Amino acid sequence: MIDKLQKADDRRLKALSGMGDRWRAIPKAWRVAVGFAFVVLLFALPRIYIPGVDELIRTTKTDFTTVLFLVAMYVVVAVGLNVVIGLAGLLDLGYIGFFAVGAYTVALFGSPDSPLHGSKLSDFMHTPYGWLLCVPLAVAVTMLSGVLLGWPTLRVRGDYLAIVTLGFGEIVRLVAQNATGLTNGQRGISDIPHPGGAWPDALPGFIDENWVGLPMFGSATSLAWYWLALVCVILCMFASRRLEHSRVGRAWVAIREDEDAAEIMGVQAFKFKLWAFAFGAALGGLAGALYAGKQQFMGSNSFTLLDSILFVAMVVVGGAGNLAGVTLGAILVWYLPERLRGIELFGVQLDTNEYRLLAFGLALIVIMTFRPKGLLPKRYRSSQPPLVAEEASA
């Protein structure tokens, strides 16, 4: 039985590989046109009706646009963590700490409820564009925290590094919970700023007439937040893709495959690992800034160890090192439970929050058995001639 399932999965992977080869064989102009049309579809997805598809993808118990925003935000997280785990091969179990640092930076410097309210920098941030000013600061502070964490800890490897990063995530949570003079403790920080602007009287039928004049990033709808998160996803994927195919990306892959051999060949392993930590932390901080602006409230209970484990699950399940794979992982981890929420099975209404951990545990066992590199593993071009490669694989 297991052999049959393994063969079926091998056929699936071979079919996907063939589709990828055919896609790359299409002229570049056509690929750009198809990609542009797909992006336009993603932007319009919350407000259009697709017969036969709409019923399958829309959530019934939660707002569909809000779910799309959360998925896009967590795709940003997955892209950042993919650099750390998928490219550099560094197991980071405390990535939720960078997410929290970015969120709290926006809350501390942008909210009038913050203990820092009244400082010169905080007053400078209290403008109609306060959130936009806080985002670069959040990215910079999170990147600095990644460097400060990586400088003493990246000299250890494997399980030891995983334990250290896990401790970092818990330290950030405990500081947020107990440092009442800085984070207000469990009371949290409210009135976090968000981008300005109001809905225009344009695009009738696409923009609800009841939204006209209301804040675009207010509580009426999550559409503008989804659009903003989607722009962040595109920019982060572009930056990650360019880095992956640069000298830095090749150094990360060499370190992941064999750090000792990479150092012998002249790669400064510590420096490039530190860069991976800093870049991954920056994307985690950007996602945290999006989360803080959307929620407009930040408390210590928002960042748990479970969230950090789910972040790693996105990368491992989807396929470490592959942007399409980690995107699929984020969709499976965060969208699928919301889509299944409220569905009745044999007369019993499913509670996806109750069975999420069980489902992920079973999924990880199955995936690690049949697809240890994830559902969409990264394909690397062989530098060997075809005949030599076939003999090596045999």
Side-chain angles (χ1 to χ4, degrees):
M1 182 65 179
I2 295 180
D3 292 338
K4 291 182 180 180
L5 292 175
Q6 185 69 55
K7 290 179 180 179
D9 189 70
D10 290 339
R11 289 194 295 269
R12 176 194 66 85
L13 195 59
K14 187 176 180 180
L16 290 175
S17 176
M19 292 173 60
D21 293 336
R22 289 192 292 271
W23 168 256
R24 284 183 287 271
I26 298 175
K28 185 177 181 180
W30 284 96
R31 283 183 289 164
V32 171
V34 172
F36 180 77
F38 180 69
V39 170
V40 171
L41 175 63
L42 289 179
F43 275 96
L45 187 60
R47 301 295 297 170
I48 62 175
Y49 175 76
I50 306 176
V53 177
D54 212 61
E55 294 79 5
L56 294 176
I57 64 174
R58 288 194 176 270
T59 54
T60 56
K61 297 296 183 179
T62 51
D63 180 58
F64 182 56
T65 308
T66 301
V67 173
L68 288 179
F69 161 75
L70 291 175
V71 171
M73 182 189 69
Y74 288 122
V75 169
V76 174
V77 173
V79 172
L81 193 55
N82 180 61
V83 171
V84 180
I85 296 179
L87 297 183
L90 306 172
L91 183 56
D92 186 353
L93 296 181
Y95 198 76
I96 188 67
F98 299 128
F99 185 83
V101 169
Y104 266 105
T105 301
V106 173
L108 288 172
F109 290 101
S111 171
D113 189 41
S114 165
L116 298 183
H117 180 63
S119 64
K120 293 183 179 179
L121 182 58
S122 180
D123 291 340
F124 176 73
M125 296 296 180
H126 293 158
T127 66
Y129 305 98
W131 185 85
L132 296 177
L133 295 174
C134 288
V135 170
L137 181 62
V139 172
V141 171
T142 312
M143 183 179 293
L144 178 61
S145 69
V147 173
L148 293 178
L149 172 65
W151 190 270
T153 61
L154 286 177
R155 305 182 191 278
V156 299
R157 306 180 186 178
D159 298 338
Y160 301 102
L161 178 61
I163 293 172
V164 171
T165 55
L166 180 64
F168 167 74
E170 283 299 289
I171 288 173
V172 172
R173 183 185 66 83
L174 291 175
V175 169
Q177 180 176 338
N178 298 308
T180 55
L182 179 64
T183 64
N184 287 341
Q186 295 184 352
R187 185 175 70 85
I189 301 175
S190 59
D191 199 16
I192 297 175
H194 55 78
W199 285 107
D201 188 7
L203 300 176
F206 188 80
I207 295 178
D208 196 317
E209 59 181 10
N210 296 325
W211 299 350
V212 176
L214 296 177
M216 292 183 64
F217 295 89
S219 58
T221 176
S222 301
L223 183 61
W225 280 110
Y226 167 63
W227 286 347
L228 179 60
L230 201 54
V231 170
C232 292
V233 168
I234 295 172
L235 295 177
C236 292
M237 283 191 169
F238 177 78
S240 178
R241 183 82 172 177
R242 297 295 294 176
L243 275 176
E244 181 182 354
H245 291 86
S246 68
R247 175 175 173 266
V248 176
R250 291 191 292 271
W252 285 340
V253 174
I255 293 170
R256 183 196 64 196
E257 296 300 326
D258 194 325
E259 184 174 339
D260 294 328
E263 288 184 334
I264 292 174
M265 296 303 295
V267 176
Q268 300 180 24
F270 177 76
K271 180 181 75 172
F272 285 107
K273 289 195 296 184
L274 198 60
W275 285 6
F277 242 57
F279 182 75
L283 296 192
L286 175 60
L290 288 172
Y291 180 77
K294 176 67 173 67
Q295 295 296 111
Q296 299 183 24
F297 172 81
M298 197 51 51
S300 60
N301 295 329
S302 303
F303 314 103
T304 64
L305 176 61
L306 175 60
D307 292 325
S308 194
I309 294 173
L310 292 178
F311 288 172
V312 177
M314 292 189 299
V315 178
V316 174
V317 172
N322 187 1
L323 287 177
V326 299
T327 302
L328 176 62
I331 293 173
L332 292 177
V333 171
W334 299 102
Y335 165 75
L336 200 58
E338 297 299 330
R339 178 63 185 89
L340 297 177
R341 186 189 298 273
I343 292 181
E344 291 189 359
L345 184 64
F346 302 113
V348 179
Q349 193 174 53
L350 294 180
D351 185 353
T352 53
N353 280 336
E354 182 178 353
Y355 297 105
R356 173 183 282 187
L357 291 180
L358 174 62
F360 283 139
L362 294 176
L364 284 174
I365 292 174
V366 173
I367 291 174
M368 291 301 102
T369 301
F370 298 102
R371 299 304 316 165
K373 294 184 178 181
L375 295 175
L376 294 177
K378 178 68 175 178
R379 292 181 59 200
Y380 293 98
R381 296 179 181 178
S382 175
S383 59
Q384 298 176 326
L387 183 59
V388 177
E390 290 179 4
E391 292 176 354
S393 62

